[in-house]
Amino acid sequence: MAELPTSFDKPVLLGVIGGTGLYHLDSLTPVARLTVSTPWGHPSSPITISLTKSGFPIAFLARHGVHHQFNPSEVPSRANIAALKSIGVRAIIAFSAVGSLQEPIHPRDFVLPTQIIDRTKGIRPSTFFENGMVGHVGFGDPFDAKLAAVIAKAAPVLEANGSRLHTKASSGGDLTLICMEGPAFSTRAESNMYRSFGGSVINMSAIPEAKLAKEAEISYQMICMSTDYDAWREGEEAVTVETVVSHLKANSANAHSFTEAILEHLEEEISVGTVGRDLQGSMRFAVSTSPSAISREMLQKMHFLLPGYWPLD
């Protein structure tokens, strides 16, 4: 990997963020390894550019670092999203290990959530707009329905491996992801509370990643990989690292084959603009602050993310 070129001269429209247990994509051919610097620092890992069989480029980033050195509260999410945006990414598929809050969602099943309940503690930087520049993003639908629909076409690959893909259509309603702070897992009381909220699965990674992708005008869909039943099941041991790890290997293998199948459906959709363009221009009028009151330093930072939206002079 260290011998790969450090630049890539074509736009990369699709990004894949790997979660716990998914640190690279075996089925693709790596052609470059980029070290990107952003106004919000460096991303959690170098960005590996790989090509599909047809030559379509994919950007891969390991959320927790190549060696899993960032805990959920420490992930440099702003740098991750800004770095992907800077190389042309319009759509992100983000994998994440999750605990199941519902009996039908078994360990090793995959889930396409449609909603989020934020249970983080406010210690993670969750917006690009700060330091005298106030912007508000619509977050009513945190995930991209068009992107999810394309991903769902690859469900037979999971079924062939004995797993199931849970979608809004197959479940008959929203699938709600609870995002907690961590790094400790839930108490039994918390787990049951999240179930009473209507939670489907729980993780520690969706926030602020999904919010920042929305601010960057990037279509975003998380793919949740169930590893356990959290702590709500009476008479069973609550989730432990050992429980999670026991299912991660199988989930990782499924994620590789699932991604390969997804790309067969997604390449053309992104290339022609069916997916990945709906948010373009959505942030242009999202700023409430008078332009004359915004510092040049802040404008320069935002120019990196959304070039030309707010004049520097």
Side-chain angles (χ1 to χ4, degrees), residues 109 152 154-166 170 254 258:
D109 280 358
V157 171
L158 294 177
E159 294 167 1
N161 293 328
S163 298
R164 179 184 174 190
L165 178 65
H166 298 263
S170 68
N254 280 340
F258 190 40

Side-chain angles (χ1 to χ4, degrees), residues 81-96:
I81 296 300
L84 291 172
K85 176 74 173 184
S86 73
I87 62 173
V89 167
R90 294 178 185 168
I92 291 174
I93 297 172
F95 285 88
S96 175

Side-chain angles (χ1 to χ4, degrees), residues 179-306:
C179 185
M180 63 181 291
E181 186 64 49
F185 296 121
S186 307
T187 66
R188 293 190 189 277
E190 288 170 334
S191 191
N192 279 300
M193 178 180 68
Y194 299 144
R195 278 168 51 80
S196 75
F197 289 174
S200 305
V201 290
I202 182 167
N203 78 355
M204 305 175 188
S205 298
I207 300 294
E209 197 171 89
K211 288 183 178 180
L212 295 168
K214 191 78 78 169
E215 288 186 350
E217 301 183 348
I218 299 174
S219 298
Y220 177 91
Q221 179 63 52
M222 181 162 274
I223 300 176
C224 298
M225 305 177 291
S226 176
T227 59
D228 56 83
Y229 279 110
D230 201 44
W232 59 270
R233 270 184 156 191
E234 293 297 330
E236 289 191 8
E237 183 182 15
V239 58
T240 64
V241 171
E242 290 77 12
T243 307
V244 171
V245 170
S246 69
H247 293 292
L248 276 178
K249 187 173 182 180
N251 278 348
S252 178
N254 280 340
H256 285 289
S257 59
F258 190 40
T259 301
E260 189 172 7
I262 290 168
L263 295 177
E264 293 179 7
H265 299 284
L266 193 53
E267 286 183 34
E268 183 178 357
E269 302 283 357
I270 292 180
S271 296
V272 302
T274 307
V275 170
R277 288 188 178 274
D278 287 354
L279 294 177
Q280 287 189 348
S282 61
M283 296 303 296
R284 187 179 293 274
F285 303 106
V287 173
S288 302
T289 310
S290 171
S292 62
I294 303 172
S295 71
R296 182 173 179 80
E297 178 184 4
M298 192 62 213
L299 289 171
Q300 287 175 330
K301 290 176 72 172
M302 295 307 293
H303 185 74
F304 181 93
L305 187 74
L306 298 166

